[in-house]
Amino acid sequence: MITLQTPIDQREIEELKVGDQIEIEGTIYCGRDAVLPKLVRLIENHDLDSIGVNLEGAVIFHTAVSPAGIGPTSSNKVEIEGSIPALSKAGVKIHVGKGALSPKTVEELKRYHSVFAITPPVSALFSDKIVSQRIAAFREEGMEALYQIEVKGFPAIIAIAHGETIFASPRGG
Amino acid sequence: MLCRKEIEDAVETCLVKAGTTFRPDQLRAYRNAISAEKNENAKWVLERILENAKLAGKNTSPLCDDTGIPHVFINMGSSLSLPHDWLSAINDGIIRGLRIMPGRPMAVRGNPIERVEQSRGLYADPGKLSLAPVIVKPGKGGKLKITVLLLGGGPEIRAKTYRVFHQRSIDVVLGEAVRWASSEAKNLGCTPCVPAIGIGRTHVEASALMLEAMKEGSLSRQNRWEKKVTELINATKVGPLGLGGDTTALGTFMKIGPLRASGIRVVSMRPGCCFEPRKAAVVLG
Ligand code: SF4
C-alpha cells in the first residue's frame, strides 16, 4: 500500500506502477460531466484563479457529491474523458474514476505525467474517509458542483500509468 | 384489516434496509469469493466492498451513492383486507424512506420535454424520486408481502429486453443472455454483477419476470441453469471492477413465466451490479 499526500509530486508519480494500491491523504476535487468541461474552459482562458482553485499536484475524483455520499461515475463518458488531457496539462496528477479509457487518453496521460486510478463504488467507506467537504465552484450545478473534500486514507488502484493499462482488452461500446 | 400507517412504516423500513445493508446470502457470497479469488487486485476490490457493507450497515448509510430507483413488488393474499388508500400508503412510505436514508436527490424537474432534456435541473428533495409502477401478484391467505427493490443506473445502461429464436433449446436462449451479459460486464465497471433474467411472452412480461427473479433470488440457492450462466460469465475473466480474476458474476437469478406457441421467447436480462439486488421484504397481516 502506497500513501500519497496532496499536492502530489512529479517524482511520486514516476514511481507508480499499474496495479499499485494507493491511499490518498489531503485534498481531492470532486467533479463530473457538468463541471469538468467548465474547468477546462477556465484553464483555456487562463482564468482558473477566478475560482481560487489550484490544480498543481491535484487529485480529481469523477463523482457527484450528495447527501447519499460519493462514488465513482464512468470516466469514459465524453465530457469526463475529454477533460483529462487539459486537466493533466494544468497540473492534475491523479484522475480517479471507473472504467477503461481510450488508447488516446492513455497516451495523453503519459504525455502530461499524470495517472488514472480506479476505485470501487464504496460510498459508505468513502464517507468514513472524508474529514470535511465544501463547494469549491459552480454551486448552480447542485450535486454536480465542483467540491473540495479533505480525506484520510482514500483507497484506489493505479489503472493507467506511463502508457500502460490494467484493463486486459480495449474498451467496448 | 391492515391499517395505513402499518403499511407506510413497513415500506419506509424496507427501503432504508434495502439501500444500506447486505443480506446474509450476499455476505456469504462475498466471503466465498474472497477466499477463492487468486488475483490480488480483484481480492482487494471484493474486500473493500465487504468493508463498505459493514460500515453502511453500522451507520445506516447508503451502500452506494447511486441509491437507485425504487420498485415495489406486492404479493397479495386472497383473504386480505386492505385500507382503500393502501397504494398511496406505499407511495408515502417510499417518500419517507428516501428522505431518511437519504436517497440521492436525482429527480429531474420540469414538463416532459424539459425532463428529457434535463434543462430545469434537479429537485433537492430525495423524496421527489417517484416510485416505478407497482407489480401485484397473488400471495398467501390473509398476508400482504411487500418487497422494495432499488435499481441502480449502471445496470439500466447495460440491460436488454429482446426476442431470441429459441430453436427449442434452453441452451440457445440462455446462451444469448450470457452473450449479452458478458459483453456488458466489461463496460459495467461495478462488477461483480448478479444478472437477473426473465423469459416471457411480451416485453412487459419478460421485464416483470426479471424483476421477480431479483425479488425471489438468493445467492445461496442457485439452480443448475443459474449456476451455468454464472460460470459462463465468470469465464470471461472480466473480474471485479474490470481488473481481471475469477469473480465477474456472484450468481444469477432466473424466472420463466408462461410461454406461447412461437419460435421466439422474449428475454429480459439486467446485469445487476456489486450491491444488487438491493432489496428488503416484509410480510404483514
Ligand atoms: S452500478 Fe451499482 S454499484 Fe455501480 S454506481 Fe450504480 S448502483 Fe452503484
Side-chain angles (χ1 to χ4, degrees):
Chain A
M1 181 64 64
I2 299 164
T3 302
L4 296 168
Q5 176 77 46
T6 65
I8 293 166
D9 196 86
Q10 180 60 42
R11 282 195 318 273
E12 292 174 293
I13 293 296
E14 273 155 23
E15 281 167 20
L16 289 175
K17 296 183 307 299
V18 160
D20 281 347
Q21 294 170 9
I22 61 167
E23 278 189 355
I24 300 165
E25 309 270 336
T27 302
I28 294 181
Y29 287 108
C30 298
R32 52 179 235 177
D33 320 39
V35 293
L36 297 183
K38 289 188 175 184
L39 262 187
V40 170
R41 272 196 293 282
L42 286 179
I43 293 166
E44 285 165 356
N45 296 334
H46 306 285
D47 208 11
L48 202 54
D49 287 347
S50 67
I51 57 167
V53 167
N54 181 3
L55 295 179
E56 203 51 59
V59 177
I60 289 193
F61 184 22
H62 303 152
T63 179
V65 180
S66 83
I70 57 175
T73 189
S74 296
S75 303
N76 44 38
K77 288 185 277 184
V78 178
E79 289 88 348
I80 299 180
E81 185 165 354
S83 73
I84 288 177
L87 292 170
S88 304
K89 191 177 173 192
V92 174
K93 287 289 160 227
I94 307 182
H95 306 259
V96 186
K98 71 173 187 194
L101 301 180
S102 71
K104 182 169 172 283
T105 309
V106 173
E107 274 310 304
E108 297 278 14
L109 284 163
K110 182 181 172 189
R111 179 169 169 207
Y112 296 118
H113 310 287
S114 181
V115 299
F116 177 58
I118 56 173
T119 192
V122 286
S123 301
L125 179 59
F126 294 141
S127 297
D128 208 49
K129 307 287 182 194
I130 297 176
V131 179
S132 65
Q133 69 182 54
R134 70 172 192 92
I135 295 179
F138 312 116
R139 178 176 293 272
E140 69 281 5
E141 297 292 348
M143 70 176 196
E144 292 200 56
L146 184 73
Y147 274 76
Q148 183 180 338
I149 61 173
E150 299 299 318
V151 294
K152 269 178 93 79
F154 179 98
I157 289 185
I158 301 298
I160 300 173
H162 323 303
E164 302 278 311
T165 167
I166 206 166
F167 300 104
S169 52
R171 81 170 192 230
Chain B
M1 191 194 333
L2 288 176
C3 74
R4 181 195 160 92
K5 184 165 183 327
E6 218 177 329
I7 297 172
E8 200 177 314
D9 289 350
V11 169
E12 176 202 305
T13 306
C14 281
L15 185 138
V16 175
K17 191 172 171 196
T20 61
T21 56
F22 261 13
R23 296 176 314 282
D25 66 308
Q26 285 175 296
L27 291 170
R28 207 171 303 124
Y30 269 100
R31 285 194 198 109
N32 291 343
I34 289 167
S35 53
E37 184 57 74
K38 292 179 282 298
N39 176 316
E40 280 309 310
N41 282 333
K43 200 189 268 281
W44 180 88
V45 171
L46 298 172
E47 285 167 350
R48 299 290 79 70
I49 292 171
L50 204 50
E51 190 185 355
N52 183 65
K54 283 181 191 148
L55 280 166
K58 187 172 130 219
N59 302 332
T60 321
S61 64
L63 288 158
C64 179
D65 75 317
D66 176 359
T67 46
I69 305 297
H71 286 62
V72 169
F73 202 109
I74 301 285
N75 290 96
M76 195 181 280
S78 53
S79 56
L80 180 69
S81 126
L82 284 174
H84 63 90
D85 54 354
W86 65 273
L87 200 49
S88 84
I90 287 176
N91 200 42
D92 290 349
I94 291 289
I95 294 170
R96 273 172 40 190
L98 285 169
R99 287 179 181 153
I100 288 169
M101 186 164 59
R104 184 158 76 175
M106 53 184 170
V108 178
R109 302 171 70 105
N111 67 33
I113 303 303
E114 290 165 341
R115 292 203 300 277
V116 169
E117 297 181 343
Q118 215 171 303
S119 54
R120 288 203 45 219
L122 308 177
Y123 288 106
D125 175 7
K128 285 283 187 189
L129 203 65
S130 49
L131 175 61
V134 175
I135 296 179
V136 183
K137 278 205 156 180
K140 290 196 186 104
K143 304 285 182 199
L144 178 73
K145 182 174 179 187
I146 305 171
T147 308
V148 177
L149 300 104
L150 299 171
L151 275 65
E156 293 308 321
I157 303 173
R158 310 290 174 200
K160 180 168 177 174
T161 303
Y162 200 50
R163 53 99 183 108
V164 173
F165 293 101
H166 58 74
Q167 298 170 54
R168 302 202 167 202
S169 161
I170 184 75
D171 286 305
V172 168
V173 175
L174 290 182
E176 188 63 15
V178 166
R179 257 189 299 283
W180 298 347
S182 299
S183 74
E184 294 303 337
K186 69 174 189 287
N187 297 320
L188 180 65
C190 299
T191 39
C193 60
V194 180
I197 299 169
I199 303 176
R201 297 167 293 188
T202 66
H203 287 245
V204 169
E205 193 175 47
S207 302
L209 287 159
M210 180 274 292
L211 190 74
E212 197 171 0
M214 283 173 70
K215 176 189 83 104
E216 290 176 355
S218 162
L219 292 167
S220 304
R221 211 181 48 240
Q222 295 274 288
N223 68 34
R224 62 180 274 227
W225 299 107
E226 290 167 332
K227 279 186 192 153
K228 192 170 177 188
V229 169
T230 305
E231 279 165 23
L232 290 168
I233 295 172
N234 282 336
T236 62
K237 304 277 181 193
V238 166
L241 233 60
L243 291 174
D246 297 320
T247 327
T248 307
L250 283 179
T252 300
F253 301 148
M254 188 172 96
K255 182 94 184 165
I256 302 174
L259 295 170
R260 58 172 282 175
S262 165
I264 63 124
R265 303 294 173 229
V266 182
V267 178
S268 178
M269 187 289 302
R270 187 176 179 280
C273 63
C274 58
F275 298 131
E276 292 195 355
R278 287 177 290 182
K279 62 174 179 177
V282 65
V283 179
L284 301 176

